[in-house]
Structures are given as structure tokens and as C-alpha cells.
Amino acid sequence: MIITKAGRRMFPAMRVKISGLDPHQQYYIAMDIVPVDNKRYRYVYHSSKWMVAGNADSPVPPRVYIHPDSPASGETWMRQVISFDKLKLTNNELDDQGHIILHSMHKYQPRVHVIRKDCGDDLSPIKPVPSGEGVKAFSFPETVFTTVTAYQNQQITRLKIDRNPFAKGFRDSGRNRMGLEALVESYAFWRPSLRTLTFEDIPGIPKQGKTNVYLFKSRGIILSAIP
């Protein structure tokens, strides 16, 4: 995932679908991005692999992206696909634009937070997400990414340019589309199947048969990543 000093939109963007909220309750939807581990990575060209290069850099200031439609009723959130396409990433630790601050060459995991309005008094773009009874976090392993300031693989460069609506200026209108489609098919992660959060994904939550409902204030929330 590209990060820049000025801020770069995540692409592909994170999109989710939520069900099981109280239709009449007000909620905030927010996202933060946390390190996967305490390592720094480098790309080894001759083997086309990411390798550990040392310990992670010092922690960056906490940032939270609060979805611009927040707060909204559970009914509103459940009837739409929630997109985080306006979220921007930066490696500028002095950023004052509200972008998510990350280190280059590190692995990160996006997390989506569902926060009842009455529990969101301390919610802020520059503070960690509050914790408590009315706050639940969801994450999907498929959304883990490595930050870079330039793509390390030419195939990924081409794939993103052809799929990113903001990269129109880089595209060649005469490019062979069959070649692109073959490339897309070679990257199975590009179109992951729809995945629903289950009890097995949540540490400390007991399994209840084959149900895929996460209990939230006596109501079940299902949050699914949208390919």
C-alpha cells in the first residue's frame, strides 16, 4: 500500500456491510490501522519475497478515521455498503490533515469499530478508539498490507494503475486488456470471497454451534468484508 508525505488514498479501499444493529440506536463507524507485529520488512527482488529487516520503528501518533456519515442510525448503516474510500495514509509524523500515520515497510491491519453514540463521547481522530461495553472492533486477515513509498513489484504497479480510478493519467488506452485480465486472475487475493466475521475470529468469545453472530448488547452484529 502506497503512503506519501501529502497523504494517499487506500487502494483498494476497505468496504464493509453490517447487519444486526438496533435500527433505532445511533452509532459511529470508525477505522484505525494497527501494526501486525514489531518487525520492519524489505523486499528481496531476486526471490520476489518480503523478508524481516529488523525491529519496527518507534510507534506513531494514534489516528482514527471516523466515517463522515457518523453518527447515524443502525437502520441507515445496515442498508448501505460502508466505504472507507476517502481515508488517506501518510508517513508524515507531523501531519495535521487527519490522515492515518504509518511507517513505510511495516505490516498493518485495518480495524473497523462499531461504537454506540452514547459510548462515543471520547471518540477523536487523534486519540485511540475508546473501549467499553458499547464498542466492538472487527478485523479481517485478508486486509493486512505492507506499506511502501513505491511499489516493489511491477505487476502490482500495473494491476493497481489499471484498477485505480484515481490513476487515469497513468493508463495507456491501447493496452491489451486480455493481458490485464490474465494478470488479475493470477492474483487470487484481488477478488476475495465475501467473508463474515465468526466466533472463531474473536478471542475470548465462546463458540455457539455454527452461528456467525457476534453478540453486542444482546443483539447480533455481523460485519462482512466486501470484495
Side-chain angles (χ1 to χ4, degrees), residues 28-71:
Y28 292 96
I29 303 295
M31 179 186 286
D32 65 359
I33 300 177
V34 296
V36 171
D37 52 31
N38 62 349
K39 305 296 183 184
R40 192 176 193 280
Y41 293 83
R42 65 186 178 90
Y43 189 75
V44 182
Y45 290 92
H46 68 269
S47 58
S48 298
K49 293 181 179 179
W50 286 96
M51 305 289 289
V52 173
N55 293 328
D57 294 329
S58 57
V60 296
R63 287 291 172 89
V64 176
Y65 177 83
I66 303 172
H67 195 282
D69 291 345
S70 298

Side-chain angles (χ1 to χ4, degrees), residues 189-215:
F189 68 82
W190 189 253
R191 293 174 179 171
S193 57
L194 181 66
R195 187 175 182 282
T196 300
L197 197 69
T198 67
F199 277 105
E200 288 79 2
D201 298 313
I202 309 168
I205 299 296
K207 299 177 183 178
Q208 299 184 3
K210 295 185 179 180
T211 182
N212 60 356
V213 178
Y214 185 101
L215 296 182

Side-chain angles (χ1 to χ4, degrees), residues 39-147:
K39 305 296 183 184
R40 192 176 193 280
Y41 293 83
R42 65 186 178 90
Y43 189 75
V44 182
Y45 290 92
H46 68 269
S47 58
S48 298
K49 293 181 179 179
W50 286 96
M51 305 289 289
V52 173
N55 293 328
D57 294 329
S58 57
V60 296
R63 287 291 172 89
V64 176
Y65 177 83
I66 303 172
H67 195 282
D69 291 345
S70 298
S73 67
E75 180 182 14
T76 299
W77 291 122
M78 290 188 291
R79 69 177 178 225
Q80 67 185 51
V81 172
I82 303 167
S83 176
F84 295 89
D85 58 329
K86 294 182 179 179
L87 182 153
K88 289 188 176 183
L89 309 177
T90 182
N91 57 350
N92 178 12
E93 294 189 38
L94 301 177
D95 173 78
D96 60 359
Q97 301 299 310
H99 304 330
I100 302 291
I101 303 173
L102 305 175
H103 286 304
S104 181
M105 298 296 186
H106 290 59
K107 285 187 177 180
Y108 290 97
Q109 170 72 69
R111 301 186 304 181
V112 177
H113 301 268
V114 180
I115 306 161
R116 282 207 322 265
K117 185 179 179 181
D118 60 311
C119 301
D121 293 341
D122 295 329
L123 184 62
S124 167
I126 57 173
K127 295 181 180 179
V129 175
S131 58
E133 173 67 24
V135 181
K136 296 299 178 184
F138 300 87
S139 61
F140 299 90
E142 298 91 336
T143 61
V144 169
F145 61 83
T146 302
T147 50

